[in-house]
Amino acid sequence: MGPEMQAKFQLILQKELRYSSANLGFNMLISKLQRKLAGNPACLPDCLKEIDAFAAGFPLIVNADYARIAAL
């Protein structure tokens, strides 16, 4: 994930930017990470790594989401 996408995911995880995926699993991951980050703001790098791991495991699912997030 590039720096521009990291910045957008940071905003999403901090609830400063709203995003809803058509994929339930990706939505659940985002919600989980938002709660995790709210409890411990220092865990942002770990949250971004978790999104990367999900994307690596399910590239067909997140390709469309990444394109939509990049356009935000």
Side-chain angles (χ1 to χ4, degrees):
M1 168 182 342
E4 185 177 310
M5 286 300 289
Q6 282 184 348
K8 292 200 179 194
F9 273 114
Q10 180 177 348
L11 292 174
I12 291 169
L13 294 178
Q14 293 171 335
K15 297 183 180 180
E16 295 177 20
L17 185 63
R18 287 193 58 132
Y19 179 74
S20 181
S21 172
N23 180 275
L24 177 63
F26 198 49
N27 277 336
M28 290 175 64
L29 175 66
I30 290 171
S31 294
K32 178 186 103 167
L33 296 176
Q34 285 174 332
R35 288 189 306 274
K36 183 177 178 179
L37 188 63
N40 179 11
C43 74
L44 179 63
D46 292 334
C47 292
L48 294 174
K49 286 179 188 175
E50 202 165 333
I51 291 171
D52 272 341
F54 184 85
F58 304 100
L60 295 177
I61 292 174
V62 297
N63 281 343
D65 286 308
Y66 271 38
R68 288 178 41 204
I69 291 169
L72 293 176

